[in-house]
Amino acid sequence: MSGQALNFERLKDEELSLLPTEDELDILDLFESVISSSPEPDVEEKSRRFTDGLTGLAPGKSLMDQPLTRSTWSALNRIASRIPRRHYAQDVLVNTVHKLNEVEGWKGLPDIWIEMRGCWNLSPTCDPKSKDEREFTEEEWLNLNSFAARLYNGPGVGSFASFAVYQVSDGLEGDRKDDDLPSPETRLQVACEWVVQSARRLMRESLLNKFADPLEDLESRYSNPYSIGPLFTGSRGFSLERWGFWKRRLIELREEESYGEATYELIDGATEAMAKIEEDIVERLFTE
């Protein structure tokens, strides 16, 4: 767990206006003050303080009726994008969201899915005509997906299943060119991060065949948001067949010599996470 210094200067750039409202800037200031309050990586204490601060921005009011709703999730998403995926501050953010879900007026986390979905409109793009500086950098995109995957793996958060299956498919089922953006390596890293952070949830969905279509329904296999990539020939959605393909694909990619050390570490982490879930299921079946 990393505790390196965080840099949020890009979020404060007035020209970029990545946090366009005063509420969002206040939330960033609050988060920075909480993280810098002590050198200790105390996730529980810092998430409690951050939660108290957020609820204090609209005391006694239902979040359902406040513009603060969208500003909160928008700010948290942008903050997460600037936090390295192995930094303890990622856990502070995730723990804060879970705590908010227990607070009157915040229960159900209104609009959290909508704001996260909006981030996909600002993902790194391969469109050479795009000049939108609000787009996430590839590093920011990986960090944001780590945050989303952690939320998906936990209880009580709106369905992020479409984000999960789309990103894993994008990294493991696609046949990309080297000049694509995000690069094939970044896409692979993002896919691995989803598996590392949410393997248990992915396996649960696979066992239940969530959002899977009958094999004869060929047209729907290529329809969003649970569509398949060109390298996978099964049905869309979740299934054990697709889980097995992802695992085999990771093993194949591990043998290639075109990636950096960090990517190989992520591949190893993803395959280990998948194997651990499989072992846990077998162990439970034969001990109960």
Side-chain angles (χ1 to χ4, degrees):
M1 182 184 296
S2 171
Q4 69 190 76
L6 300 174
N7 185 345
F8 296 108
E9 292 307 309
R10 175 168 150 83
L11 302 187
K12 300 175 183 178
D13 189 313
E14 293 183 1
E15 292 186 5
L16 289 177
S17 191
L18 299 179
L19 298 179
T21 69
E22 288 298 322
D23 284 337
E24 290 169 88
L25 291 171
D26 289 344
I27 291 169
L28 174 59
D29 289 341
L30 174 63
F31 182 76
E32 285 192 287
S33 68
V34 167
I35 293 298
S36 62
S37 62
S38 75
E40 299 300 320
D42 191 335
V43 172
E44 180 61 27
E45 173 62 19
K46 292 185 176 182
S47 60
R48 183 192 63 77
R49 290 186 58 187
F50 191 37
T51 302
D52 290 344
L54 288 173
T55 56
L57 293 177
K61 300 178 182 179
S62 171
L63 196 65
M64 292 290 289
D65 303 324
Q66 299 296 316
L68 182 61
T69 308
R70 302 286 288 270
S71 295
T72 299
W73 308 134
S74 175
L76 295 193
N77 290 340
R78 279 294 181 179
I79 290 170
S81 75
R82 298 297 301 168
I83 301 174
R85 54 191 170 79
R86 294 297 176 264
H87 196 288
Y88 82 92
Q90 283 269 2
D91 294 320
V92 172
L93 284 182
V94 173
N95 209 25
T96 295
V97 174
H98 293 316
K99 288 182 180 299
L100 285 174
N101 202 24
E102 299 172 356
V103 176
E104 194 64 37
W106 295 68
K107 292 180 179 179
L109 306 173
D111 292 335
I112 190 172
W113 184 91
I114 294 174
E115 280 302 314
M116 184 62 77
R117 175 62 183 85
C119 291
W120 262 248
N121 296 332
L122 293 171
S123 64
T125 176
C126 60
D127 181 2
K129 297 180 181 179
S130 177
K131 303 295 182 182
D132 193 343
E133 294 184 342
R134 296 176 303 155
E135 289 178 355
F136 295 97
T137 66
E138 293 195 37
E139 181 179 3
E140 289 174 342
W141 187 238
L142 177 58
N143 295 336
L144 176 66
N145 275 269
S146 182
F147 175 57
R150 293 163 195 254
L151 290 176
Y152 173 62
N153 197 51
V157 177
S159 177
F160 283 7
S162 57
F163 306 140
V165 73
Y166 179 84
Q167 292 304 146
V168 178
S169 172
D170 191 46
L172 300 181
E173 298 175 0
D175 188 11
R176 302 293 181 180
K177 299 178 181 179
D178 290 339
D179 58 352
D180 277 354
L181 291 175
S183 67
E185 184 161 8
T186 296
R187 294 172 190 268
L188 173 56
Q189 290 179 340
V190 169
C192 289
E193 188 66 13
W194 274 94
V195 175
V196 168
Q197 298 299 341
S198 61
R200 185 170 297 275
R201 183 70 180 272
L202 292 171
M203 171 56 88
R204 177 183 181 277
E205 311 287 35
S206 298
L207 286 168
L208 295 174
N209 289 315
K210 281 290 188 72
F211 312 110
D213 291 316
L215 287 176
E216 61 269 18
D217 191 0
L218 297 180
E219 183 177 353
S220 68
R221 291 167 54 197
Y222 301 98
S223 302
N224 288 329
Y226 305 103
S227 57
I228 63 174
L231 300 183
F232 179 63
T233 59
S235 62
R236 72 171 189 169
F238 294 92
S239 66
L240 289 180
E241 179 189 14
R242 201 171 191 182
W243 168 279
F245 174 85
W246 289 343
K247 188 177 179 183
R248 291 192 301 274
R249 183 65 176 146
L250 285 168
I251 294 172
E252 291 172 359
L253 292 169
R254 186 63 176 84
E255 298 303 313
E256 296 186 7
E257 300 181 355
S258 54
Y259 304 120
E261 181 179 351
T263 301
Y264 289 118
E265 290 177 357
L266 267 171
I267 293 174
D268 291 341
T271 52
E272 289 169 8
M274 297 181 86
K276 178 65 166 59
I277 296 301
E278 293 167 349
E279 292 169 3
D280 288 348
I281 292 174
V282 171
E283 184 69 21
R284 179 168 297 186
L285 286 172
F286 285 93
T287 56
E288 293 186 352

